[in-house]
Amino acid sequence: EDSDQVPVGDTPRSMSLLCRGENTRLCQPGDRVNVTGVFLPVQRSGFRAMMGGLMSDTFLQVHHIVRIKKGYEESSLDCLSDEEARELVQEPLFYDKLAASLA
């Protein structure tokens, strides 16, 4: 759920995911991901199973993860050398290009 889609004062929806093997450590908190898998109930036993009734917690057993967008902390900026920056500033439409890239 995108942060701009959450109403002010509400808590974003969440879901428990179970990742194993090669699906672990593919993403970090803040990343946007596309996850495919199987939606399963949490197995309960003993007294908790008797008292739970028909209600059950669920989780998603992950089979595949695709990272759509990196988090803000991980995004890397391409650094220019001092010489490249000086050449870029000398271009006639530099400030117009800069303003257009920010808009």
Side-chain angles (χ1 to χ4, degrees), residues 62-103:
V62 176
H63 291 198
H64 187 67
I65 297 175
V66 176
R67 184 170 19 183
I68 298 171
K69 180 182 173 186
K70 289 184 178 182
Y72 295 107
E73 294 84 26
E74 289 184 21
S75 61
S76 62
L77 299 173
D78 295 333
C79 295
L80 297 174
S81 67
D82 291 339
E83 186 177 315
E84 291 174 330
R86 285 187 195 104
E87 290 176 8
L88 192 60
V89 172
Q90 297 303 322
E91 288 185 18
L93 299 176
F94 170 72
Y95 290 105
D96 293 334
K97 289 181 185 178
L98 183 63
S101 70
L102 296 175

Side-chain angles (χ1 to χ4, degrees), residues 3 17 25 44 46 50 57-58 60 74 76 78 98:
S3 60
L17 303 176
R25 299 185 183 181
R44 295 185 185 178
M50 289 190 316
D57 292 331
T58 56
L60 184 71
E74 289 184 21
S76 62
D78 295 333
L98 183 63

